[in-house]
Amino acid sequence: MSGFGKIWLFIFWVVTANAQKPFFKIHELGEPFQKAIPEIIYEDNNSALWVGTTGGLFLYDGIEYRPYLKEDSTSNHVRSIFQDSKDRFWVGYEDGTIYHLVNHRLVLWSIEEGCPKVPVNGFAEDAEGNIWISTYGEGVYFYDEKRLYNFNTDDGLLGDDIYVMQAALPGHVWVGTDRGISKCSFSNNRKSIENYTSQEGLPDDIVKAILINREGQLWVGTYDGGVALFDPVKKTFSRPLPDRHLGIVNCLEIFEGTDLWIGTQDNGLWRYSLTQGELSPLPSLENAKVTDLLRDIEGNIWVVSSTHGICSANRQFEFIPTDIENVQSVLVDSKNRLWIGTPSGLFTHFTDRSGANSFQQYGTLANLNTTSLYEDVFGNIWIGTFGEGLYIFQPNSGAVRHIHTANGLEDGNVLSIDGVDDRVWIATLGGAMEITYDQQVIQNGELGFRSISRKDNLGTNFIYKVFIDSKGRVWFGTDGKGISVLENDVVKNYPVAKHEHQKDESDEDYQLHAVYSITEDKKGSIWLSTDNAGIFEFDGAQFNHLTVKEGIRDLEITSLATDANGQIIIVHPTGLDVLTPSSKHLIYYDNEVGVHDLDPNLNAVCTDRFGNVWIGGKNKIIKYTALKEDLEIHPRTFLNDVSVFLEPIDFEETNVFSHKQNNLVFEYLGIWYTDPQIVKYRYQLTGYDLDWIESKDRKATYSNLPSGKYTFKVTSTENDAWADEPVITYPFEVLPPIWMRWWLIAIVLGAVAGLFYLYQKNRDKRIQLVNLLEKDKVESQLAALKAQINPHFLFNSFNTLVSVIEESPQLAVEYVENLSDFYRKIMQLRDKEIISIQEEIELVKNYAFLLEKRYGKNFKLHINLKGQQTYIVPFTLQLLVENAVKHNIISKSKPLKVDIEKGEEGHITVKNNLQPKLTKEKSTNFGLQSLSQRYKLLGNRKVKVEESATFFKVSIPIIE
């Protein structure tokens, strides 16, 4: 072997080292809590994160920390956090106290046996729902909901200082001590303990960390013996990790089927690949003291350390930095070697002894504009170039074979390569070619060529992408003519993406034009990206179009790839999106996971043999790991708080409010730790809102709600689509006022019915009463008439008439006419309740004329009521004038003066000088009493009577 070949083999020996790094971001506690040192982190049943510090307990939503502190003055140093299957929240403290979290408050756990007096550093729940409590100094406690039992060295426990505890099936716990590990169980009121020490193969008796995997095996982290794997069935220990000095192992975490993470006391964070058997440190956390590790439901790894406090990285994304800006193609071969093609040639990645990343260029392949890469079944690398045809490279020997237009290629511009078995398909600017080969391909073995072009019914010869699906069909992404497929030696073209509702090929919205990338999901559907119209799914019969409306955030998609879980990875300049084909749910990944300034080239992507997707970008290579675990793809939405007039309530117990409690505020939260800033919300109050309301706020206010039944609904999303996001609901009712309650309405209706019955029953009595009143009215009118025409008045009128006839017959006629008019008006007006002032004045003038003829100049009447447009009771003024005449002396020496004029507001006054007769006439008491009663009935207004030594005045209310 040549010296160059030996150097090349050395490069390939070191190139397999695990050099890609996660992107860690730091989550600081913030200014108010700087003195609180984080030590542990815990994910609760709702996938929310809790942090235990030396200064208290904190809930973290990805944006801010919410403190939960004791209300007394005891220590707030949190040593353990746990939530059991009954959703009880347990918090253990340095001083031995144990608290529960109840309605957002810490409540001391009181038990007859009393809490421990030493640090409580762990909780666990066995399969039967019993709670185990580990301490540093008093062993382990067992709580069966009735009483507390203690396991200590007197019972056979290896040590009372417990470092770690983990529950296992069927109903026991494993604890790590400074003398080994113990299996503790409690059954039929009997304690049982099994111990395992260095005598049974444990590499070190001081056990600081225990982690149980899916198979029930125990990963054991020790003080000085590294990490061991214990099989509880075989009761044997093994040492699968490479022999590297890790120092004190504080904590362990696992991504099942992918890797084991190891936190140490002084040597930082390490990662062991379960698939490749490699152990490597994480450079960003070297020499750090790591106190806790957590894998969350989204695929993030959380690290609590002395140098970074709390930091996290999305385990799905790792990065290899490079100085190469223009990566045109990427390949990870069957030996996990990374190759990248650039305009300057082919490069391979390796890690030197110091752990630094480097890219080595192979001299023979330098300066080739490398556009595509493919590994065949014999481990050869096929290299497509722009203008130089095709190269076949054998990494182990360094041998190269060149295929160009002079020896078989139709076109020297190779944009894409794919293959199966002993066949390779290439996409060029001059059509597509199939090349068959054998194991001797490097040694100039015979090649078979077959070309597919426009003459074979291919839409165009300009092909961006060639892809072979699981059925052996060959798909071609063309420039301008959509997608084509070769099946059973027949080419079929799809220039237009039709679906069941679209039949018109002239519709430009569904013209495929240029197809850049092609992949296949687990159901066998073909997915393709276009130049600027999003992506399409093709199930063999119809196309399904996904664009901005469905959440595609960038229509300029450069690559598509399918990972081991069947997820579609969408690459575009903005970042990466992961699409779940079955639900069409999208997750966006960009700056928060380290993906920024990607600037990807067309189809600079590949899927390795483990189903991981590698993407070439500007100055970086991104590895997307398909985790072998079910990850949460939606933000977890919670209703945090409900307030009534800004006063929080226990909304888990209360959902009925009075009509006065109708100002409600809902506080909610969507937890998405991968990128909390992009979370959006929408909410709706059914029964009030007509549609959903979208918002970035985490609070919704409803004031002055009318009574009724409502349901508050809220959901959150990490993308721009809302199709399948879980919805949180809170039904409640605002009761109507008491006077609108059904039972009160029923009572009122019953009372009304009873009253109606009484009304009907007494109706006859009321009718009789009305008849009596009507009779009284008639009698009153008759009495009034009689009062007006009493014989004395008639006698005086006739005497006056006789004297007038003798003196002036003509005046007598006028007198009789006025007397006749007067009595006629009395007959006309007597049945009315009210009359106008003008009518009453005419009546009074007629009456005054008669009096003047009787008394001559000894009687004087002055009326000053001009412009009055009001009403009065009939005969009011006439009656008052008659009373003045009736009760006063009228003579030449004592003339009687009567004034009728406007009085104080709302009244008319009748005033006469007071000169009472020496012999009073007999009174019927009918006049003033009748007026007062009638005015009272007409409006509850009073007639005012004033009398002095010189005058008598009556004020009559006028009626508007």
Side-chain angles (χ1 to χ4, degrees), residues 374-586:
Y374 170 75
E375 182 186 23
D376 66 23
V377 293
F378 304 116
N380 302 307
I381 308 298
W382 293 62
I383 305 166
T385 70
F386 194 83
E388 297 293 330
L390 189 64
Y391 288 79
I392 307 174
F393 170 56
Q394 189 177 64
N396 291 339
S397 65
V400 177
R401 181 177 179 178
H402 184 200
I403 305 172
H404 48 84
T405 54
N407 56 12
L409 287 186
E410 292 285 345
D411 187 273
N413 301 292
V414 181
L415 301 184
S416 175
I417 309 173
D418 199 5
V420 61
D421 298 331
D422 60 349
R423 294 178 295 122
V424 168
W425 280 89
I426 63 172
T428 75
L429 299 183
M433 291 198 70
E434 179 188 43
I435 304 174
T436 57
Y437 63 94
D438 58 23
Q439 192 169 359
Q440 303 303 316
V441 62
I442 291 295
Q443 290 78 27
N444 292 319
E446 186 175 351
L447 300 176
F449 295 93
R450 175 193 178 189
S451 64
I452 299 291
S453 63
R454 292 185 63 180
K455 61 184 175 55
D456 302 295
N457 197 37
L458 195 62
T460 178
N461 287 342
F462 196 144
I463 303 174
Y464 286 115
K465 178 69 176 178
V466 61
F467 175 78
I468 303 175
D469 68 15
S470 59
K471 298 177 182 178
R473 298 176 298 183
V474 185
W475 296 83
F476 307 99
T478 73
D479 181 29
K481 296 297 181 179
I483 191 170
S484 302
V485 60
L486 176 64
E487 184 176 12
N488 298 326
D489 289 330
V490 176
V491 175
K492 187 173 182 179
N493 300 310
Y494 296 93
V496 177
K498 292 184 181 179
H499 59 81
E500 59 183 349
H501 303 298
Q502 181 65 43
K503 303 298 183 183
D504 186 3
E505 292 191 8
S506 65
D507 192 336
E508 290 294 326
D509 289 344
Y510 290 88
Q511 294 284 341
L512 289 177
H513 298 300
V515 173
Y516 288 156
S517 188
I518 308 170
T519 191
E520 181 184 16
D521 65 23
K522 284 191 172 183
K523 296 188 303 180
S525 294
I526 299 299
W527 292 80
L528 53 113
S529 68
T530 60
D531 52 352
N532 60 5
I535 63 176
F536 292 83
E537 175 191 17
F538 182 52
D539 62 5
Q542 62 183 27
F543 288 87
N544 181 28
H545 191 191
L546 274 68
T547 181
V548 175
K549 180 181 178 182
E550 289 74 28
I552 302 295
R553 57 174 170 159
D554 194 329
L555 299 181
E556 188 182 342
I557 296 166
T558 61
S559 304
L560 298 177
T562 306
D563 69 10
N565 298 326
Q567 307 283 81
I568 307 296
I569 312 303
I570 305 171
V571 184
H572 49 79
T574 310
L576 302 180
D577 300 339
V578 178
L579 171 70
T580 303
S582 58
S583 64
K584 308 299 185 294
H585 182 85
L586 283 156

Side-chain angles (χ1 to χ4, degrees), residues 598-723:
L598 189 55
D599 195 17
N601 277 305
L602 288 183
N603 295 313
V605 63
C606 75
T607 303
D608 66 21
R609 61 193 177 96
F610 301 108
N612 305 312
V613 178
W614 297 72
I615 302 107
K618 181 180 178 181
N619 298 121
K620 66 174 73 68
I621 304 296
I622 301 173
K623 177 186 177 184
Y624 174 82
T625 300
L627 297 178
K628 298 176 177 64
E629 299 178 331
D630 291 331
L631 301 181
E632 179 59 69
I633 62 174
H634 303 285
R636 279 81 67 205
T637 308
F638 306 100
L639 186 59
N640 274 355
D641 196 15
V642 177
S643 300
V644 177
F645 286 103
L646 303 181
E647 289 294 327
I649 63 163
D650 183 3
F651 62 90
E652 293 180 355
E653 299 292 334
T654 305
N655 63 353
V656 178
F657 306 100
S658 71
H659 73 283
K660 294 183 178 180
Q661 295 176 301
N662 62 348
N663 189 308
L664 277 72
V665 179
F666 301 93
E667 295 185 24
Y668 42 82
L669 174 66
I671 293 181
W672 184 246
Y673 293 111
T674 300
D675 190 356
Q677 299 292 345
I678 68 172
V679 176
K680 299 177 182 178
Y681 302 91
R682 69 174 184 171
Y683 60 87
Q684 182 183 27
L685 187 63
T686 57
Y688 188 83
D689 293 328
L690 297 178
D691 202 355
W692 290 93
I693 299 171
E694 294 189 16
S695 174
K696 287 285 287 184
D697 295 334
R698 300 193 289 183
K699 181 187 294 186
T701 301
Y702 290 90
S703 59
N704 199 27
L705 283 175
S707 59
K709 292 184 177 181
Y710 303 95
T711 298
F712 181 74
K713 300 189 296 185
V714 62
T715 183
S716 59
T717 184
E718 82 291 3
N719 56 39
D720 292 328
W722 301 93

Side-chain angles (χ1 to χ4, degrees), residues 133 170 183 257 391 452 467 654 707 780 818 840 856 910-911:
I133 304 167
K183 175 185 176 183
Y391 288 79
I452 299 291
F467 175 78
T654 305
S707 59
S780 297
N818 277 275
E840 180 71 14
V910 178
K911 181 179 178 183

Side-chain angles (χ1 to χ4, degrees), residues 201-208 220-229 238-249:
L202 186 64
D204 184 6
D205 283 335
I206 302 178
V207 175
K208 301 281 300 252
V220 182
T222 67
Y223 188 86
D224 196 36
V227 177
L229 183 63
S238 60
R239 303 283 299 276
L241 274 64
D243 188 14
R244 302 282 294 273
H245 182 69
L246 299 175
I248 302 172
V249 176

Side-chain angles (χ1 to χ4, degrees), residues 68 283 360 586 900:
Y68 291 85
Q360 176 70 36
L586 283 156
I900 300 176

Side-chain angles (χ1 to χ4, degrees), residues 65-81:
Y65 292 87
R66 180 176 180 176
Y68 291 85
L69 306 178
K70 294 181 182 179
E71 296 181 352
D72 54 30
S73 58
T74 57
S75 171
N76 266 299
H77 187 168
V78 177
R79 293 291 299 270
S80 53
I81 308 168

